[in-house]
Amino acid sequence: MVYFDCCANYPAKKEVLDELVNAELKYFGNYNSSHKLGLITKDFVNETSSKILKILGFSSDFEIIYTSSATESNNLAIKGIANSYSGFGKKILVSELEHSSINGTLGYLKDCGFTIELIKTMNDGSIDLIDLENKLDDSVILVCTIFVEGETGYIHDIKKFHR
């Protein structure tokens, strides 16, 4: 048996778990507080964020926003893009096989006046690139596609999505 649905949860590497436990035990002060524990935590988070940005090849001008879940991250990103770019268009394209957190957020945006169009998928879970190309126009502000399809295990070559 091959199990593909490790996107929602996956056993943590021991090294990662050890770092998490260390951070939880040592840096529990409120980041926004001015007391000693808060300042120690703030220094740790800022130092860690700088390391992450460096590893990813980004300058310190970029900001990392920490969220509690993928659902929260999806909501924040999609609603943020929709609100920021609604002056350029109100159409969002989404694959037929998106996660429920994406669909829930898009349902909310549809109620707010955005147009949501589904991109066809092939039997293997891949995006129909011809359908995507046909639906792209100047009013599209966002294309939502899952990177790894949890049901089939299909991994999209996102470089093919570039216009």
Side-chain angles (χ1 to χ4, degrees):
M1 179 177 145
V2 177
Y3 182 70
F4 289 114
D5 193 17
C6 288
C7 293
N9 198 9
Y10 192 78
K13 292 181 90 174
K14 182 178 179 345
E15 299 86 355
V16 173
L17 194 54
D18 289 344
E19 286 296 320
L20 174 63
V21 169
N22 178 57
E24 288 290 323
L25 292 173
K26 193 172 178 183
Y27 305 104
F28 54 87
N30 183 332
Y31 176 95
N32 292 311
S33 295
S34 59
H35 55 67
K36 185 176 180 179
L37 287 175
L39 295 173
I40 290 170
T41 298
K42 187 172 195 163
D43 287 344
F44 172 73
V45 171
N46 289 339
E47 182 181 318
T48 301
S49 296
S50 293
K51 289 178 184 177
I52 293 169
L53 288 171
K54 186 175 181 181
I55 289 168
L56 295 174
F58 292 112
S59 72
S60 60
D61 295 337
F62 286 85
E63 177 184 8
I64 296 176
I65 299 172
Y66 295 95
T67 61
S68 63
S69 66
T71 298
E72 184 182 354
S73 298
N74 290 337
N75 272 276
L76 181 65
I78 293 169
K79 288 176 183 174
I81 290 169
N83 287 329
S84 295
Y85 290 92
S86 63
F88 297 99
K90 287 199 153 204
K91 185 170 17 173
I92 299 172
L93 304 180
V94 59
S95 74
E96 296 174 317
L97 302 175
E98 278 308 312
H99 189 270
S100 60
S101 67
I102 302 291
N103 294 330
T105 302
L106 294 178
Y108 166 80
L109 290 173
K110 184 176 182 182
D111 292 344
C112 294
F114 286 83
T115 301
I116 312 300
E117 287 189 22
L118 293 176
I119 308 164
K120 293 179 186 173
T121 54
M122 311 300 267
N123 289 338
D124 62 359
S126 64
I127 297 295
D128 182 335
L129 294 176
I130 294 171
D131 188 54
L132 172 60
E133 184 66 32
N134 289 337
K135 290 181 175 168
L136 282 173
D137 61 40
D138 290 338
S139 67
V140 174
I141 58 168
L142 179 64
V143 176
C144 294
T145 61
I146 197 161
F147 180 58
V148 178
E149 210 299 303
E151 302 293 324
T152 66
Y154 188 88
I155 301 173
H156 286 96
D157 181 358
I158 57 173
K159 292 177 185 171
K160 290 182 180 177
F161 293 10
H162 188 269
R163 190 175 202 196

